[in-house]
Amino acid sequence: MNLQLETKNNFKKNVMTMKKLKRRERVDGWLFVTPFVISAAVFFIGPLLVAFMLSFKEYSYLDMISMFEAPWVGFANYLNAFQDSTFLKALLNTSIYSLGVVPIQLTIALLLALIVDSNLKGKTFFRVAYYIPTVTSTVAVSVMFMFIFKTDGILNRILAIFNLPAYNWFGDTRLALPSIMMMAIWSSVGLYMVIFLAGLQDIPTSLYEAARIDGANKLQEVLYITIPLLKPTIFFNLVVSLIGTFQVFDQAYVVSNGTGGPLDSTMTVVLYLYNTGFRDFQMGYASAIAFILFAIIFILTLIQRKFFGEETEF
Amino acid sequence: MNRKLSVSKLIFYIVLIGYAIICLGPFLWSFITSFKPTSEINNFNINFKTLSAKNYVFLWKEFPFARWVFNSIYVALIVTFGNLLFNSMAGYALARINFPGKKVLFFAILGMMMVPGQVVMVPTFILLSKLGWVNTYKGLTIPFLTSLFGIFLMRQFFTSIPKAIEESAMIDGLSRFGIFFRIVLPLARPALSTQFILMFTGNWNSFLWPSLLAQSEEMFTLPVGLNSFYGQYYQFWDQVLAGVMILSIPTILIFLIFQRNFIKGIATTGLKE
């Protein structure tokens, strides 16, 4: 065998192994993602397509026909939703809840993060204390607050010390929703504070030093350095918090025993979706409500992205 | 200057301690009440002589709380470990292996993350009931074994580790699976432990799906059990609050033990995307 032939053969061999390796890679890649792809197809993509179909049908789980045979009703489910006073109330409640909870919880979280981040002792303790409500079950939190907020509970007794009247917090149509909002703020401030803290860590200290040389005071530092540079974190928290609040369910369900009461004052979109789908078995209507929720969340995210610019890859 | 600084520091401490009391107060008050007899639950002061663990013993003996604890642990562990394995595998492939359809898959994941989970609730429930999985452990675990966010997190992590390690292993003749299980996965311990805690607490606290899927008392998880128990026993606050503690103390303990990594993990997963 001469040298030329040998090189040629070697080259051929190498090309062969390269091809083999590439094929191997392709197979391996798909093997690695197979469990996820199956799970996503069966429990997400499939149901998503079915939900979309159902939203244009009238179908009850109790019907003797399959959902594929159920009659088409066009946009009736969507149109009905906007004439359904309970759904509109749920939408209003959820909007109030979201517009109240998001700014208050993010402001408290940001203020606490700024204070905890400054040079103080006991940082770890405060971080841990503020985070504990976040890891606690919403069901446990709801039941605990029902105890604290009950008519003869500790909250009203503390108010009495300051000569303030006692309220029936979760039983009063005007106070039930704000009480749930308070609970929500209490249970998630810790999460957003921790994310803000991480964002603060990324701001280079040299900027503050430069500002100090130019004679800036603490407030100016916060306003002109911290807040602008924290914009991506603020954006991230805004989106997460908004999406989360629009999906509120557990608290409203536990507090009102699933009814959204008193008088629909704690009815939320997801609670209504749950009730229409699984208590009344109107699954076509429930699917339409689900897509309305999807549209709202999607639009809110787009608006925020516009508002905060494109600098954040999300 | 110094004086002004110490005044502002004092205000800061008052704010911080005040908020810490707001955070911990409800737990402490409920914790103490769970040891009181029913007749004293509304008393402001604590009578140390009458405190006892009888509420806990009562729940354990008279109600299926032990069963609910078991269900919660069992389901949370299966779901958590499923997620750790499958999310890492998918995340690794998306970060490191070249295969056709990878880009499409990644964008599909980003797209799916924008869809609220409640949208698929109705058809998924119909599917599970057709499969006969309602009120079974299968129904409580199998649909939740992977998570979009978890895959995203692992992909980000795997993109950040140096390629050279894998290349040398490949030259030594290790297969992709070998590389993944023997080299890459052990390196991913920080990301895995963050995910472990997030998934475990998330699943332990999960309420909506288990309330649909666990229909008989012996299949309840703790949140579903506590909700039903509260509905029937709402006047016995000492016992109800003992139930609240059984549900909330495990995640608080896990958090306290791992808090350093946990907070660091949350902080980085939230931002370094």
Side-chain angles (χ1 to χ4, degrees), chain B residues 54-109:
Chain B
K54 65 163 185 47
N55 290 322
Y56 292 87
V57 177
F58 179 78
L59 290 186
W60 217 259
K61 274 192 182 155
E62 305 291 323
F63 296 93
F65 263 82
R67 173 80 192 213
W68 298 345
V69 170
F70 169 79
N71 288 346
S72 274
I73 294 176
Y74 181 77
V75 169
L77 282 181
I78 289 183
V79 172
T80 305
F81 282 109
N83 271 284
L84 289 189
L85 177 66
F86 297 141
N87 295 347
S88 321
M89 281 169 64
Y92 177 70
L94 288 172
R96 279 295 204 267
I97 305 176
N98 280 319
F99 61 96
K102 175 170 139 173
K103 268 210 175 123
V104 177
L105 194 63
F106 184 61
F107 281 109
I109 290 175

Side-chain angles (χ1 to χ4, degrees), chain A residues 25-26 28 30 36 39 47 61 121 130-131 135-137 144 146-147 150 152 157 186 198 202 236 247 274, chain B residues 13 16 22-23 27 30 42 97 99-100 116 118 123 129 146 151 176 205 211 230 247 251 266-267 270 272:
Chain A
E25 280 277 286
R26 270 183 238 154
D28 283 347
W30 277 100
F36 162 69
S39 163
Y61 183 60
K121 275 182 188 146
Y130 301 163
Y131 205 84
V135 294
T136 310
S137 141
M144 205 161 74
M146 305 269 288
F147 172 65
K150 73 194 175 87
D152 54 354
R157 280 156 160 254
W186 179 85
D202 286 346
F236 178 83
Q247 296 175 319
Y274 183 96
Chain B
Y13 274 117
L16 289 180
I22 292 175
C23 281
F27 281 108
S30 307
N42 285 330
I97 305 176
F99 61 96
Q118 292 89 354
S129 69
T146 66
I151 291 173
R176 271 290 174 194
N205 293 337
S211 79
Y230 164 75
L247 171 56
T251 50
I266 301 247
K272 309 289 186 291

